[in-house]
Amino acid sequence: MSSEQTPHEEPLPSAGSLDDSLAFLREGYGYGGRRFSRLRADGFRTRLLGRTTVVMRGREAAEAFSAPDRMSRGSAIPASAMHLLQDEGSVQSLSGVAHRHRKRMFLELLDDEYAERLAERFAADWAEAVSAEAGRTVSLAELCSRVLTKSAVAWCGIPVRLVEVDRLAERLGAMVEHAGHVGPRNWLARARRRGVERWAAEAVTASRTGRLAVPSDAPLSIVARQTGADGALLDAGTAAVELLNLLRPIVAISRYLAFSAHALERHSGWRKALRSDAEARLDFAQEVRRWYPFFPGVLGTATAPFEWHGHRFEPGDRAMLDLYATDHDPAEWTQADDFEPGRFLGGAPGGPLVPQGAGDVASGHRCPGEGATVAVMTRFLALAAAEPAPYSVPDQDLRISLRRVPALPPGGLRVRLRG
Ligand code: HEM
């Protein structure tokens, strides 16, 4: 039986409307949470973006959704978002053996040592940008996005002098910014993505032919040498998509840096600890990842039958794991809506922390970039909390709308850099 079961056999409640796509677009991050509490359930059925979808939250939901080889990603994501965030042939579109084989490459080049190298580059590029723009008032999110583009390019092994950093930053940022939109803004960003893909394919080819001298342990070299599960070298287009799968999300860390600065402004009592204590920086970064809105959820299509909370999923059925609602689940997190880095003290988070996906990173689709993300965030926190402060925050509206996906502080958080 498919997900169109008769109501009396169906243990999961229905959200009660014929189609919730508009409600989802209107309510943003709060969409799932509101219904979970109204229906007093951790899962409900609805119609979203043209398809029947079970929306789920919580620890058990995260485990069920993320069990190996259970949910594919490719066909679950609307094409408009897929083409901006991932694309055909990318690790996220793969399943089974092919996925595991490709995922190993990401785990290799995002291990602790590579993450630390990225954080080191970020710190150097940040210092340079802050002194180049001294005295100016800028959007912190934009500044960090440019800085991270430069760091990501160099970290990958591409000489920065060959790249127009500001233009690339703008294009990589647009891929995340417009993934949730439909219509002209999304089309424009997709057209521009094609241009960036061509550029990335040229970098792969130049690395393969030796036209570009890239150290053999640099991520670009590793991606360029990567084979499929069949042993054949990836075509340049697919390798380019994976190169962008490194560059784009590294630049997206700028959103977490703007959120970190926002949290630091709101909870300035942490400044002293952040200056001197690596554990405090880690706890603070984890709480930023838990509390602030990034991706509302991940969509998956069942590839095998399974049951969750009495609901039977058949192959082809779609589900959305609500990441934001899971990170704010009142059944799991004490004072879930309070920003409290202390909850991570001693390494026990007290709830399922899933802003970058759930489950096993090697066999599932969980983000391989969590270590790199946290490494850059903790480095930023040390720099932002330093004395003298590298910037001040002028009076401004610090409210973050949960209806706007992806979220950011208004204006990306305006800061005045030290003169
Ligand atoms: C900026 C913060 C980041 C957030 C919020 C984030 C979030 C996510 C999420 C929600 C997923 C999907 C998980 C799923 O489908 O179950 C994902 C997958 C992925 N992320 Fe990240 N990510 C971030 C940073 C990074 C970084 C820094 C990298 C690499 C440099 C990266 C590379 C990837 C890749 C390659 C996948 C696909 C994995 C697969 O399908 O197996 N991400 N990320």
Side-chain angles (χ1 to χ4, degrees):
M1 190 178 287
S2 79
S3 57
E4 311 291 345
Q5 290 164 315
T6 49
H8 69 274
E9 293 172 316
E10 175 51 63
L12 289 185
S14 155
S17 104
L18 280 181
D19 191 302
D20 258 357
S21 306
L22 277 179
F24 181 55
L25 291 176
R26 211 173 34 235
E27 296 175 39
Y29 297 94
Y31 165 83
R34 235 167 251 137
R35 283 155 187 79
F36 294 126
S37 56
R38 174 162 58 81
L39 300 166
R40 294 171 195 271
D42 284 335
F44 61 85
R45 291 170 298 123
T46 187
R47 218 179 142 72
L48 272 186
L49 312 167
R51 283 174 64 184
T52 300
T53 306
V54 168
V55 184
M56 26 202 317
R57 79 154 172 206
R59 188 187 300 271
E60 285 173 23
E63 279 164 15
F65 183 90
S66 310
D69 300 325
R70 179 171 277 178
M71 286 277 177
S72 73
R73 298 295 186 273
S75 60
I77 304 171
S80 53
M82 181 72 182
H83 288 150
L84 282 180
L85 289 180
Q86 288 288 329
D87 233 332
E88 278 87 26
S90 73
V91 61
Q92 199 158 40
S93 73
L94 301 176
S95 303
V97 176
H99 172 260
R100 262 169 236 187
H101 181 81
R102 186 79 57 82
K103 192 71 178 275
R104 265 202 300 279
M105 171 190 82
F106 281 97
L107 292 174
E108 180 192 336
L109 51 76
L110 286 164
D111 71 7
D112 291 351
E113 195 189 323
Y114 280 90
E116 203 37 48
R117 274 194 219 172
L118 178 64
E120 287 289 329
R121 284 204 180 268
F122 167 75
D125 293 334
W126 161 265
E128 203 182 293
V130 166
S131 81
E133 309 221 17
R136 292 188 51 202
T137 300
V138 297
S139 154
L140 184 69
E142 261 173 47
L143 176 72
C144 289
S145 151
R146 280 184 276 124
V147 169
L148 279 164
T149 301
K150 190 174 172 196
S151 311
V153 163
W155 175 83
C156 279
I158 303 168
V160 174
R161 65 187 152 75
L162 300 181
V163 177
E164 280 183 67
V165 169
D166 290 0
R167 212 160 95 119
L168 184 60
E170 192 263 315
R171 298 197 162 182
L172 294 170
M175 291 178 200
V176 177
E177 179 68 33
H178 301 307
H181 297 142
V182 282
R185 276 186 294 175
N186 178 277
W187 301 332
L188 189 62
R190 275 158 80 176
R192 287 182 171 162
R193 170 166 173 131
R194 297 285 165 230
V196 182
E197 269 175 19
R198 275 195 298 278
W199 166 81
E202 276 165 28
V204 167
T205 307
S207 167
R208 282 179 177 168
T209 57
R211 238 183 327 115
L212 194 63
V214 186
S216 65
D217 66 343
L220 171 57
S221 279
I222 296 174
V223 171
R225 285 199 305 271
Q226 177 67 16
T227 57
D230 59 359
L233 198 63
L234 294 185
D235 64 81
T238 304
V241 165
E242 300 300 33
L243 182 60
L244 293 186
N245 252 341
L246 295 171
L247 294 171
R248 185 200 63 255
I250 290 175
V251 173
I253 299 173
S254 56
R255 292 176 173 270
Y256 271 150
L257 302 188
F259 288 144
S260 300
H262 182 273
L264 194 55
E265 190 57 21
R266 283 256 169 103
H267 309 276
S268 52
W270 280 83
R271 291 195 89 88
K272 194 162 166 252
L274 294 176
R275 272 200 293 279
S276 56
D277 181 353
E279 169 67 34
R281 289 195 285 274
L282 180 61
D283 295 349
F284 198 90
Q286 298 296 43
E287 183 68 343
V288 167
R289 293 198 314 132
R290 185 191 75 83
W291 196 80
Y292 282 86
F294 205 117
F295 287 115
V298 275
L299 287 165
T301 302
T303 51
F306 70 98
E307 237 179 72
W308 180 73
H309 281 208
H311 176 87
R312 179 142 181 97
F313 284 90
E314 297 293 344
D317 288 353
R318 187 164 75 169
M320 180 168 95
L321 175 65
D322 191 324
L323 301 176
Y324 185 76
T326 301
D327 285 330
H328 289 257
D329 184 356
E332 297 277 5
W333 302 94
T334 320
Q335 312 282 1
D337 290 333
D338 292 355
F339 182 88
E340 180 41 83
R343 70 174 80 243
F344 287 96
L345 201 64
L353 182 67
V354 298
Q356 295 180 232
D360 178 50
V361 67
S363 57
H365 287 282
R366 186 179 189 133
C367 178
E370 288 190 277
T373 304
V374 171
V376 172
M377 288 173 76
T378 48
R379 189 62 63 99
F380 173 78
L381 285 168
L383 295 165
E387 286 288 3
Y391 61 78
S392 57
V393 180
D395 243 11
Q396 63 194 292
D397 182 2
L398 286 176
R399 283 172 302 177
I400 295 172
S401 169
L402 291 180
R403 294 150 71 105
R404 183 186 182 278
V405 180
L408 259 190
L413 191 71
R414 312 288 301 167
V415 298
R416 188 176 152 73
L417 299 171
R418 195 173 67 225

